[in-house]
Amino acid sequence: MGCIKVVHITLGMGVGGIEKLIVSLAKTIDRRIFHITVGCLDTGGDLLAPIHQLGWKSFVMDRKPGHDMRLIVKLARIFSKCKFHVVHTHNQAAHFYAGPAAKIAGTPCLVTTEHSRHYIDERLRRRLEKRALSVITDRWVTVSKELARLSIRKDSLPPKKIRVISNG
């Protein structure tokens, strides 16, 4: 069996918690088992340099303002061409585009990590969007038990899909 091809999708690779996590994963992942690519929906950023220094590939999509629905089709083409085994999105905005694209492309596994609840509690639309995305998502990882609890209680996500991997 060849390597499992994983693409991490985030908005950008500026210096932040999600971005540092992706770099950490890229540094420590078992290269005999996994192959990593990093996809940025908006811009690149300073933390793409260590990704490239490690020999991993990346791509930047330059998402248009507003709801850039063409981005889903563009991502689906990339996912199909690269034949990723796993699409791993980070936070809901990345999942909004890459989740449907992964399903269109026939990607076998779709995982998202919820690092925070930005804009989810204040907007019913975001909670409904999250619930709809959970239908196509294989695993919903949260970085705390509290986020898992809120995802079940407030967002009606199925508990069987949720896994907690604590930050820190």
Side-chain angles (χ1 to χ4, degrees):
M1 181 175 146
C3 284
I4 298 169
K5 295 172 72 174
V6 179
V7 60
H8 287 275
I9 303 293
T10 188
L11 298 182
M13 286 297 287
V15 178
I18 292 171
E19 300 80 3
K20 288 180 180 180
L21 171 70
I22 292 170
V23 170
S24 178
L25 287 169
K27 286 179 180 177
T28 59
I29 200 86
D30 188 338
R31 290 173 176 263
R32 295 168 299 175
I33 300 172
F34 297 99
H35 182 273
I36 300 292
T37 300
V38 175
C40 302
L41 299 187
D42 292 341
T43 59
D46 292 341
L47 291 182
L48 274 184
I51 296 296
H52 296 151
Q53 289 165 357
L54 292 163
W56 300 123
K57 294 180 181 176
S58 70
F59 59 88
V60 177
M61 301 301 296
D62 296 316
R63 176 176 60 144
K64 305 293 180 253
H67 286 97
D68 184 2
M69 301 312 282
R70 292 173 294 157
L71 187 55
I72 294 172
V73 175
K74 291 175 184 177
L75 286 167
R77 285 186 186 129
I78 291 170
F79 297 165
S80 291
K81 180 182 174 192
C82 295
K83 296 183 178 16
F84 292 113
H85 300 104
V86 178
V87 171
H88 186 161
T89 67
H90 296 271
N91 272 347
Q92 192 161 328
H95 199 52
F96 177 82
Y97 294 100
K103 289 305 170 185
I104 292 167
T107 304
C109 182
L110 174 61
V111 176
T112 190
T113 298
E114 184 175 334
H115 298 267
S116 69
R117 289 188 61 83
H118 288 291
Y119 308 112
I120 294 173
D121 287 325
E122 300 86 26
R123 298 185 182 155
L124 176 62
R125 179 183 64 81
R126 295 291 272 178
R127 289 196 310 276
L128 295 174
E129 177 183 289
K130 182 177 173 181
R131 189 175 310 147
L133 287 167
S134 75
V135 172
I136 63 169
T137 306
D138 297 295
R139 286 290 178 260
W140 202 284
V141 178
T142 64
V143 299
S144 72
K145 289 179 182 176
E146 180 64 9
L147 281 176
R149 187 183 68 74
L150 291 170
S151 290
I152 294 165
R153 188 173 63 82
K154 291 183 104 177
D155 306 327
S156 301
L157 266 61
K160 66 182 182 190
K161 285 194 177 191
I162 297 174
R163 298 294 184 271
V164 176
I165 300 176
S166 297
N167 257 348

